[in-house]
Amino acid sequence: MCGITGYIGGREALPILIPSLKKLEYRGYDSAGVALSLGGGVWVRKTKGRISALEEKLGAEEGAGRGARAGIGHTRWATHGEPSDLNSHPHTDVSDRIAVVHNGIIENYLALKEWLRSRGVLFRSETDTEVIAHLVNYYGREAETNPGTGLGRPDLLGAVRRTLTRLEGSYALAIISADYPDCIIAARKDSPLIIGVGRGENLVASDVPAILAHTREVLFMEDGELAVLRADQVELFNAQGERVERRPSHVDWDAEAAEKGGFAHFMLKEIHDQPRALSDTLRPRLQWRKSGDDGEAAEIPADINFDEIALDASWARAERIIITACGTAWHAAMVGKYAFEELARLPVEADVASEFRYRNPILDRDDLVIVISQSGETADTLAAMRLAKKKGCRILALTNVVGSTLSREADLVLYTWAGPEIAVASTKAFTTQLMCLYLLALKLGRMRLCLDEAAYLRCLRVLSRIPAQAAELLSRQDVIQRFASRQFNKTKVFFMGRQYDYAVSLENALKLKEISYTHSEAFAAGELKHGPIALVDRSTLIVTAATRASLFDKIISNIKEVSSRGASTLVITWEGETAFAQAADEVFFIPKPAVSGEEEAEAAERPARLTECFSPILSVIPAQLFAYYCSLQRGNDPDKPRNLAKSVTVE
Ligand code: AGP
C-alpha cells in the first residue's frame, strides 16, 4: 500500500516529512515525493525510486523547501500506472495550486477522467489519483468564499467535500492548497489514516510509525471522516459534515510493533489484511446495479468489468489454458484449473514453471497462457513465460507488482492489488490470485456461453460476499490457535482433499512446511490407499479440506480410515456439515459460498455445485493461521523462515 504523511506547525516541514516517509518504507513502494506550502504556492518534488533518490534530488537544490511550515509526503505502491516520476505523488491540479497524496484505489477514475477532459482538463499522469486534484480545483473554482469581493478564494473544504461525493473506491487523502497555507485537509474511506496531535503542531499519516518520533497522541480517523489540521487545532467532521469531538488515544507501541499495525508479525497482519485485499481486487472489476427500485435497494453485481485487459473474443476462442507458476502461485494455478473446467468448460494444464521451461511443451498459438507470480520476478516463471512467448503464445500475467518484469513482458496484465506482501510465506497474494482466476473463469464461461445469465450473476453475487465471509472467519482465529497449541509437535502432517480441495491442500502443506519446518505434504484423498496410508500412525495429523458436497461421503470414509489407524484429524468444511463432527477429532467451519437469500431459503441444502469451487479462498485461511501458530509454538520467526527468500530470482 502507499504511505502518506503530512506536517503542519512551527517547525521546518521538510526535515520532518522525509524521516516520516522512511518510517513507512516497510509498506513497500516504488517512488516518493513531497509537496510544501511555500512562497504563496505549492512546491512539489517527486521521483521514481527510493526515498534516498528523492533526498538526492532535494540535496541538489540549495535550501530546498526551506521556510515551509506545512507539507505532505508520499511513498507510492503502484496500482494504476507504471512507477515513474510523472506517476509519483503528490499530484497537482492544472494551476499547481492544489497538491494531493492518496492511498487506495479510485474505481471510477476513468469515467471521472473523461468527465474532466470534456471540461478541458489536461492530464499528466496515468494514475487514478490525479483526478482528485483536478476535481478539487474544479469545485473550488465553482464555489468562492466572499464571492464578488475580490478577496475571495476557492472554498477548499467545500470543494473537497464535493469531490469526495464523486469518488468510488477507497482513499486516504492529504491535501494542501496555495490558497490555504495554514491547513492540511485529510479524508479517509476504507484506507487507514491517523492524526498525530502535537503541541503547536499536528501530523497526518497512513500509519502510526510515521508520527511516533513527534507524538503518541493519536486520532484514528474513522471511515467517511474528514479533518482540517492547523498548527494549533484539529477539526474532525463526520460523513454528514457534523463536527466530531474525539479525544486522542495514547499509543505506546514501539516502532517495530507499529510497523506491523499492532500484529506480532507481518504474516499475521497480511492474513488479516485478506478481506481488504480481496475487496480491493474484486470491487473495481464488478459493475453494480440496484436490486430493486426503492432508494434503499441493495447494490448487486451486474457484470465483470475487465477494461484493463480487454479480454476480446479471440481469448474466448482459446481451446486450452496453460497456467505456469512456482510455489504458492502454482497452487493457485491448480485451484484455477478446477474453476476454469467447471465454469468455462476449458481444459487446463497447470504446470510448475521449472518443469514447463525444460520440457519443450507442445503449445498452440491459440492457447491462453496465464503466468502467475506475486513478485513478477521469479526466474523460473519468467523463463517459462519467455518460452511460451517465443512459441507464439499470448501471455496473460497475474501479478501483484506493477512494473515488475513479468508485468512489462506480458501481453495482458491482471493485478491482484493485495498491496505489498512482506512476509516470505504468501497469504493474501494467494487468495487474491484465486479471486482473479475466478473472475477470469466466469468471464470466459459467459463469453463461451457455458454459463447462462442467471448462473453468471449468481456466481458474481457469491464472490461479492467473500471478503465479508473471510472477515467473519478470521474473527474465530482463536479456535485455530488452540488447535495448533495441541498439534504443533506432530512430526508428520498430511493435508488431503478431493478436486480443488486437493489443490488447496497443496498450499496448506506448503504453508506449514515453510514456516514451522514440519515435514508436511498433500495428497488427493482418493490416493490414500495407493500409498500414503502406510505412513499413518498415532504420530500423524491429517487436515482435510472438504467442500465438494457430492464427495462428502467419500471424504468421511477417508477420515475414518486414517482415524482408525491412530491419526489425529481436523476437517475444514462448511458451517452446518455436522456429519464431519462425528468423523473427525476437530472441525473448523467456514462460511458457505452462497448468496444470503438462498442460504435462508435452502438452509438445509448445500450451495449449487457451481459455486463450490470458490471455497478454497476461505478454506485456506484456517490453514494459514494453523501454520502461523505452529511456527510460533516451535520458536520460529514466521516472517523470516530459514533458507527461504521472498522472491526466488535465481534458478
Ligand atoms: C510461498 O509462500 C513461497 N514464498 C514461495 O513458494 C512463492 O510462492 C514462490 O517463490 C513464487 O513466488 P512468486 O509468486 O513471487 O513468483
Side-chain angles (χ1 to χ4, degrees), residues 326-329 373-376 378 381 424-426 510-511 514 648:
C326 297
T328 287
S373 173
Q374 186 283 133
S375 63
T378 299
T381 307
V424 168
S426 188
L510 173 60
K511 281 293 94 46
E514 67 176 324
V648 182

Side-chain angles (χ1 to χ4, degrees), residues 485-611:
S485 64
R486 296 194 296 273
Q487 300 289 343
F488 72 94
N489 264 329
K490 280 286 189 304
T491 53
K492 281 181 288 182
V493 182
F494 298 139
F495 293 82
M496 69 177 181
R498 289 175 178 261
Q499 298 186 18
Y500 51 75
D501 284 332
Y502 158 58
V504 76
S505 294
L506 291 166
E507 172 61 10
N508 296 345
L510 173 60
K511 281 293 94 46
L512 185 67
K513 185 184 301 175
E514 67 176 324
I515 61 173
S516 75
Y517 317 147
T518 305
H519 183 97
S520 59
E521 62 180 271
F523 52 80
E527 279 292 285
L528 193 58
K529 295 190 190 67
H530 299 280
I533 200 163
L535 291 176
V536 175
D537 59 23
R538 303 185 64 76
S539 71
T540 312
L541 166 66
I542 296 196
V543 180
T544 304
T547 62
R548 177 59 99 187
S550 57
L551 298 173
F552 278 171
D553 293 346
K554 301 213 180 303
I555 278 285
I556 286 176
S557 305
N558 293 143
I559 293 167
K560 286 177 178 170
E561 283 159 14
V562 295
S563 289
S564 60
R565 288 164 176 79
S568 304
T569 53
L570 162 69
V571 180
I572 302 170
T573 188
W574 292 330
E575 288 146 352
E577 297 302 336
T578 50
F580 289 101
Q582 280 79 46
D585 301 323
E586 304 263 351
V587 184
F588 188 86
F589 292 110
I590 63 172
K592 287 182 186 178
V595 288
S596 55
E598 185 175 291
E599 267 176 324
E600 280 125 36
E602 302 168 18
E605 295 303 312
R606 295 172 177 131
R609 177 188 169 93
L610 210 53
T611 55

